[in-house]
């Protein structure tokens, strides 16, 4: 989306209809799934959580470093925007946790 208003509208649609379709087609761009994360992500994926309490990193440098270490392993960044708790640090399926900003992401 090019504007915040469109972004907010798409996520409102995602939360009410549980999916976002591409305009003019039946292709599903995003959908809400109740399956456990282990069934959604491919096997062998490196799961990286985000938290404002983790070590602050430069995202480009971090990804470049991952490319040098693990050339074929898929990577997923887990972003949790919830009102309480810290999924980046508390979720047991996370392999590593990093901070991409000095500011927290609020779900309120």
């Amino acid at each position: 989306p090019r504007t915040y208003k469109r972004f907010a509208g798409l996520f409102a649609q995602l939360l009410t209809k549980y999916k976002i379709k591409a305009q003019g087609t039946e292709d599903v761009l995003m959908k809400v799934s109740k399956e456990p994360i282990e069934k959604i992500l491919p096997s062998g994926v490196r799961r990286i959580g985000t938290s404002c309490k983790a070590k602050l990193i430069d995202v480009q440098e971090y990804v470049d470093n991952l490319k040098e270490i693990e050339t074929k392993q898929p990577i997923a960044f887990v972003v949790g925007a919830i009102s309480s708790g810290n999924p980046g640090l508390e979720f047991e399926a996370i392999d590593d946790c990093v901070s991409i900003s000095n500011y927290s992401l609020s779900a309120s």
Side-chain angles (χ1 to χ4, degrees), residues 36-47 76 78:
I37 194 79
E38 292 82 8
K39 289 187 178 181
I40 297 170
L41 296 175
S43 62
V45 67
R46 181 179 173 99
R47 294 171 294 245
V78 179

Side-chain angles (χ1 to χ4, degrees), residues 22-26:
Q23 231 174 3
T25 70
E26 291 296 313

Side-chain angles (χ1 to χ4, degrees), residues 50-104:
T50 57
S51 171
C52 63
K53 295 178 181 176
K55 177 184 160 199
L56 182 64
I57 53 110
D58 178 274
V59 176
Q60 188 62 54
E61 287 177 16
Y62 186 81
V63 171
D64 288 343
N65 188 34
L66 287 175
K67 285 180 186 177
E68 291 174 10
I69 297 170
E70 305 157 22
T71 56
K72 304 233 184 237
Q73 187 179 22
I75 300 169
F77 283 89
V78 179
V79 179
I82 59 173
S83 58
S84 66
N86 196 334
L89 292 173
E90 296 169 1
F91 187 45
E92 65 275 351
I94 298 295
D95 300 315
D96 193 11
C97 192
V98 297
S99 176
I100 57 175
S101 173
N102 286 323
Y103 304 100
S104 62

